[in-house]
Amino acid sequence: MKWWGWGVEGVGFHHEDKPGFAPFVQKAVGLDLWAGERTERPDFSELKVPASRAPEEFVTVLSGIVGAGNTVVDDLSRVVHTYGKSLRDLVRIRAGEIARSPDVIVYPADEAEVQSVVDAAVEADAVIIPFGGGSNIAGSLEPHPDESRVVVSLDLGRLGRVLEIDADSGLARIQAGALGPDLEAQLNRDGWTMGHFPDSFTHSTLGGWVATRSSGMQSDKYGDIADIVKGLRVVRAGGVLVIRAVPSASTGPSVREMVVGSEGRLGVITEVTVQVHRLPERRGIYAYFFKNLDHGLAAMQEIAESDVSPSVTRISDAHETGFSLATSKESKGIQKKAQAGLMAYLKRRGWNLDEMCLSFIGFEGGEAHAKRQKSLADRIVRKHHGIGVGKGPGALYDQKKFDTPYIRDFLLDRGAAGDVSETAGPWSKLRGIHAAVYEAADRAYEKIGRKGWTMSHMSHSYHSGACLYFTFAFVFGDDPLGEYDTVKRAIQQAFLDAGGTISHHHGVGLEHAPWLEEDISTQGVAIMSGLFGAADPGGNFNPRKIV
Ligand code: FAD
């Protein structure tokens, strides 16, 4: 992973082959991409990395457990393990702001080594921060600037194997450090899939997904990670917490649920038993256009409440639809003619193309099942005046979805912010949340004196509601983090004021902690604080995150 951005070195976003992108950005935030101005990223050698505070004897103890080559204290490793990949993280790292870094990184090979590291660290009163892919965007990893104890980053990168598949039950035991692509490749070899595909899939791990209560693009079919996880092994000081994989249990408040979303505060997840499914015979994501967001949301709600079981339901609002069209490559020949024909046809039908919304609905399973699901969904789409435009745009979205995160670095390179905030709310409040966030963001852009852009989509549908995901962008002024805070805070507060939660799938960390009490009540926070305090009296496991 790049220390200064998303993904691997050499891969990035380019706009030269997307003729609509530069004019779109110019109109949205007033940034002229053709001017070619770039803000300089610091050279790694210019960063002032705080020196490691790990005493030599402690490093020797850790090396004795995991091996000298798997105990590292070099600056690059410690920087990469300091932050996640939120906009705040990237702005700080690019500005060379590193108040506190982990003092030592260890890479244990198995659960026994994790246990020995944990015991040695707790014995030495060190802090342990489990590290998966480092992709979180909620401030879930950074050590507190005032942390005076030695900080150990426990990287699960060597625990990446699928250990066993119970084919009878569709359950797979998988080590927690497995990255998305490795995990799926191992399952696919035997004809299985876990069906969990967050946009960060390529650089995030099973343990991280569980620890942040993640959700993937196909959650409509496979569930959120909280539904997919059936069993767990969690290393704590002095022993392993074992949650056996049973389909359901009435054993009091669920300890499994307590671990899901615990962001490293209850121990180190070493193994997860997950529900897996046979690879679908057929899989397709189809694109639809709706006249406006209101019609589209009504269709999504009716699908969620009906017998249709899609794998994906997603609708972009008009702003995000404009963005998607602007990031498409130039179409030529028949495709160009077909697009122009479609737009002319929609205009003739009285559509205002500036209000039009692009939607994706996915279906998978056996041939007959997928076909039947599509025909049921199509009927609902038609009822809400939607129009199907086939598989092409859906296939493109499916292929390109893991590339979108590179746009954030592209904008940062040019002095602009592009970030996301997401929530979930009941169907009855979704439109209100959408409107409230736009209003709040507009007021915030005005306050910071910048031209701002907001766009949104609905995804992850449930019977009672759905997730709304917002992207916001503006060109930085003199105080990037102050300006970011103003906009981000306005959006988070609007979520709560309009009846949503502070996050549907990014977790709490430090970023969303200020709103937790308003979200789950004072009593809720008291119960959570009690849990962490009792489970970890020395405050050794990723202290101060969540509460
Ligand atoms: P890390 O970032 O390494 O850690 C996150 C937290 O989990 C930390 O508190 C860490 O201590 C703890 N942790 C990690 N591993 C363990 C373990 N084994 N035991 C105990 N605690 C552990 N999230 C989604 O849900 N859906 C998305 O579609 C999505 N898209 C994203 C797109 C981009 C571009 C980015 C940057 C992020 C996105 N995220 C998304 C957020 C992020 O990828 C998730 O939060 C992910 O679950 C983090 O996994 P990780 O392995 O990177 O964890």
Side-chain angles (χ1 to χ4, degrees), residues 130 132-136 140 156 199-200 205 211-212 214-215 263 269 405 505 542:
S135 74
N136 78 84
S140 310
L156 287 116
D199 291 355
S200 57
T205 63
T212 57
S214 161
S215 185
E263 298 187 24
I269 303 163
H505 58 256
N542 205 9

Side-chain angles (χ1 to χ4, degrees), residues 180-335:
D182 298 342
L183 174 162
E184 274 296 317
Q186 292 177 68
L187 290 174
N188 291 175
R189 259 201 313 263
D190 294 321
W192 297 95
T193 179
M194 191 173 136
H196 186 73
F197 300 103
D199 291 355
S200 57
F201 176 74
T202 43
H203 297 289
S204 54
T205 63
L206 175 58
W209 299 338
V210 174
T212 57
R213 284 191 90 94
S214 161
S215 185
M217 168 186 132
Q218 283 160 233
S219 67
D220 286 22
K221 174 176 166 67
Y222 295 99
D224 299 323
I225 200 72
D227 308 305
I228 297 170
V229 171
K230 299 299 174 195
L232 286 162
R233 291 182 68 87
V234 184
V235 169
R236 296 171 30 76
V240 180
L241 159 68
V242 183
I243 306 292
R244 292 175 308 123
V246 290
S248 191
S250 64
T251 44
S254 162
V255 178
R256 184 187 64 87
E257 277 280 311
M258 292 175 197
V259 174
V260 180
S262 58
E263 298 187 24
R265 292 214 52 182
L266 293 177
V268 184
I269 303 163
T270 48
E271 190 183 304
V272 189
T273 304
V274 296
Q275 187 77 69
V276 288
H277 300 255
R278 284 288 177 200
L279 279 167
E281 211 175 291
R282 198 175 136 183
R283 175 169 188 274
I285 298 180
Y286 294 81
Y288 300 84
F289 279 118
F290 286 92
K291 194 171 179 181
N292 55 39
L293 187 62
D294 227 27
H295 284 275
L297 281 178
M300 298 301 123
Q301 176 173 1
E302 190 166 336
I303 289 173
E305 290 168 354
S306 73
D307 291 337
V308 190
S309 54
S311 53
V312 180
T313 44
R314 175 181 168 118
I315 178 153
S316 296
D317 68 5
H319 274 195
E320 196 177 270
T321 300
F323 170 80
S324 298
L325 298 176
T327 47
S328 311
K329 289 194 178 162
E330 189 173 20
S331 50
K332 295 196 176 99
I334 297 176
Q335 201 193 5

Side-chain angles (χ1 to χ4, degrees), residues 43-57:
D43 193 75
F44 187 79
S45 61
E46 291 163 26
L47 292 192
K48 285 203 177 66
V49 186
S52 170
R53 301 185 194 180
E56 220 174 294
E57 316 81 73

